[in-house]
Amino acid sequence: LGNFVVAEDEGSLERVVKVTVLLARPELYRDMNEAYAEFFPGAKPARSMVRFGADIPGVLVAIDAVALA
């Protein structure tokens, strides 16, 4: 969850309404959930989680977020 982009015009994580998280390994769920809580300390946006099977070296998590304009 270190690298992210939230709109170019004054975007904010507070405007995120839906997040899809893709994890390479299910055992990473707890760590990802703790990091997610740091980015969204208040009300959390709706979230889907999926295990992805792509063997991309160094990629353990991918996140897609939808935010209100």
Side-chain angles (χ1 to χ4, degrees):
L1 292 175
N3 298 325
F4 62 91
V5 175
V6 180
E8 295 178 12
D9 297 324
E10 299 181 30
S12 169
L13 289 176
E14 293 173 357
R15 307 210 28 95
V16 173
V17 295
K18 170 72 171 84
V19 175
T20 302
V21 179
L22 296 96
L23 287 177
R25 300 189 325 238
E27 63 270 17
L28 297 173
Y29 176 78
R30 182 174 297 188
D31 293 332
M32 188 287 310
N33 211 36
E34 290 173 3
Y36 187 85
E38 290 179 26
F39 279 87
F40 300 104
K44 312 279 188 278
R47 179 174 70 180
S48 299
M49 297 192 69
V50 179
R51 181 184 184 278
F52 73 98
D55 286 331
I56 304 170
V59 177
L60 299 176
V61 62
I63 298 174
D64 177 54
V66 177
L68 298 173

